[in-house]
Amino acid sequence: MRCVVMFSIRMDMRVILFLTLFTGLCIADSKGNLALNGMAVQSSLGHPQGDAQHAVDGNRDSDYKKESCTITKTEFNPWWRVDLGNVYSVSNVTITNRGDCCKDRLRGAQIRIGNKLDNNGNNNELAATILTAPNGTQTFSFESVNGRYVNIFLPGNDEILTLCEVEVFAVIDTPSYICGPRNLALGATAVQSSILSGAGAQRAVDGNRNSLFSLGSCSHTNADRDPWWRVDLGEKYKVTRVSITNIGDGSAARINGAQIRIGNSLENNGNNNELAVTVVSIPLGETKTFQFQPIKGRYVNIVIPGRNEYLHMCEVEVFSD
């Protein structure tokens, strides 16, 4: 699918530069805000109106009552994170603080950027520290940091983290700017043969590779005969590789023998589509990428044939290179 990236540069005049790529996650708007409508999560939900996604909705309104801000519970080291979908050379983060009250809550927060989800991403490189609570919207500039995840981390006891908008910008005029292959499965509709303890199929396409089942980011079926999981990419792609993150606090061997099947038919729930590769093993809690000759299809299935088994996965990523 052809994808167009648009951003503007101020030189002698404003210039709109169009960069056309055949693969890649594009900058989300004409200002180059990479976080806009990205997948956002936070350490807790302090109020139903304070969802993490509110900080990437494109709305800088700083009045919490208008439902465009996030809020965590009062806790130790609260955090918020956005997944940019790809690795970028991030150079600026713009934060809109709450304006109707409590602006000092943000004082001392850290902006951390990187590619790891250890400690929920809060161990990634420190890009900047918010020393003075922003009065409205403030941009923090720093030496470029390459990363997929941007965290706002507030260290301390009994802290509440509130954000009304977070905007992320990358270097766009040097080779360090990256726009790589995008994960076609991210946020797509997923289903599976059964659901154990509320661990639905959608958890495996939430953009979170955290491998601890107890933290709620892994899918899990019952001990079905030939258990399966399927994602609908929405249209046909020539799929060339699939990455699977195995569970980190269960049995690593359950995934052994799983088949990755790709195609356009829903016969037998999609499990009769073309076999791309068979999983021999994936170490506990690790991500393994399976590459193969391109297979064109809309549906990607993971199925364990021939036995009664639990199928659990913490993330499935699909790419068309």
Side-chain angles (χ1 to χ4, degrees), residues 75 80 104 121 134 179 193-194 208 211 217 229 250 263 276 294:
E75 58 188 344
W80 175 95
D104 285 339
C179 188
S193 53
S194 64
N208 187 352
S211 64
S217 181
W229 176 97

Side-chain angles (χ1 to χ4, degrees), residues 152-187:
I152 310 299
F153 172 65
L154 182 58
N157 291 307
D158 299 325
E159 299 287 353
I160 298 174
L161 178 61
T162 299
L163 302 160
C164 293
E165 194 69 11
V166 177
E167 300 161 79
V168 179
F169 302 90
V171 175
I172 60 176
D173 54 355
T174 72
S176 60
Y177 175 76
I178 302 168
C179 188
R182 68 186 179 102
N183 172 16
L184 301 169
L186 182 63

Side-chain angles (χ1 to χ4, degrees), residues 3-321:
C3 184
V4 178
V5 179
M6 297 186 298
F7 41 84
S8 57
I9 305 171
R10 179 173 295 277
M11 294 184 288
D12 294 333
M13 58 183 291
R14 291 190 71 86
V15 179
I16 303 299
L17 175 62
F18 295 88
L19 173 61
T20 303
L21 299 173
F22 286 93
T23 61
L25 181 70
C26 295
I27 291 177
D29 68 2
S30 60
K31 297 178 297 181
N33 175 15
L34 298 166
L36 183 64
N37 296 322
M39 184 73 68
V41 292
Q42 60 190 18
S43 52
S44 64
L45 182 60
H47 186 275
Q49 292 181 192
D51 187 82
Q53 210 65 31
H54 289 171
V56 290
D57 62 1
N59 186 353
R60 285 183 174 179
D61 197 308
S62 62
D63 186 345
Y64 178 81
K65 296 185 292 296
K66 294 183 179 179
E67 299 188 27
S68 182
C69 303
T70 72
I71 193 168
T72 67
K73 295 178 180 177
T74 302
E75 58 188 344
F76 177 65
N77 293 349
W79 55 269
W80 175 95
R81 183 180 73 239
V82 63
D83 180 356
L84 304 180
N86 284 293
V87 178
Y88 294 90
S89 187
V90 178
S91 57
N92 298 276
V93 173
T94 298
I95 296 176
T96 300
N97 197 6
R98 184 172 174 176
D100 57 332
C101 87
C102 326
K103 73 174 186 178
D104 285 339
R105 286 176 177 170
L106 200 52
R107 192 190 310 273
Q110 300 174 352
I111 301 172
R112 290 184 172 268
I113 300 167
N115 298 306
K116 295 183 178 180
L117 287 175
D118 298 343
N119 188 25
N120 294 299
N122 296 312
N123 291 348
N124 282 324
E125 184 174 345
L126 176 62
T129 299
I130 301 173
L131 300 177
T132 303
N135 185 12
T137 299
Q138 183 174 337
T139 297
F140 300 87
S141 299
F142 39 82
E143 290 294 321
S144 300
V145 179
N146 288 340
R148 170 176 174 174
Y149 304 106
V150 176
N151 281 49
I152 310 299
F153 172 65
L154 182 58
N157 291 307
D158 299 325
E159 299 287 353
I160 298 174
L161 178 61
T162 299
L163 302 160
C164 293
E165 194 69 11
V166 177
E167 300 161 79
V168 179
F169 302 90
V171 175
I172 60 176
D173 54 355
T174 72
S176 60
Y177 175 76
I178 302 168
C179 188
R182 68 186 179 102
N183 172 16
L184 301 169
L186 182 63
T189 300
V191 292
Q192 60 190 24
S193 53
S194 64
I195 299 175
L196 177 71
S197 302
Q202 209 66 31
R203 289 185 177 185
V205 291
D206 63 358
N208 187 352
R209 283 185 175 179
N210 196 303
S211 64
L212 298 181
F213 179 79
S214 58
L215 295 181
S217 181
C218 303
S219 66
H220 206 307
T221 70
N222 293 312
D224 301 334
R225 181 69 179 180
D226 304 333
W228 57 269
W229 176 97
R230 183 180 74 239
V231 63
D232 180 355
L233 304 180
E235 57 182 283
K236 299 175 185 177
Y237 293 90
K238 288 184 177 179
V239 179
T240 56
R241 57 189 170 101
V242 173
S243 297
I244 299 175
T245 301
N246 200 4
I247 198 166
D249 52 359
S251 173
R254 287 174 176 165
I255 196 70
N256 296 358
Q259 298 177 345
I260 300 174
R261 290 182 171 269
I262 301 165
N264 300 302
S265 172
L266 287 178
E267 180 183 352
N268 187 25
N269 293 301
N271 296 312
N272 291 348
N273 282 322
E274 183 175 350
L275 175 63
V277 70
T278 299
V279 176
V280 176
S281 66
I282 304 175
L284 199 68
E286 293 192 15
T287 301
K288 190 169 184 178
T289 298
F290 302 88
Q291 295 184 291
F292 39 83
Q293 291 299 311
I295 299 176
K296 191 171 184 178
R298 171 176 174 173
Y299 304 107
V300 176
N301 280 50
I302 314 294
V303 57
I304 301 177
R307 70 182 195 259
N308 289 81
E309 188 58 275
Y310 296 96
L311 174 59
H312 45 54
M313 300 177 294
C314 295
E315 194 69 12
V316 177
E317 299 162 84
V318 179
F319 301 91
S320 175
D321 295 324

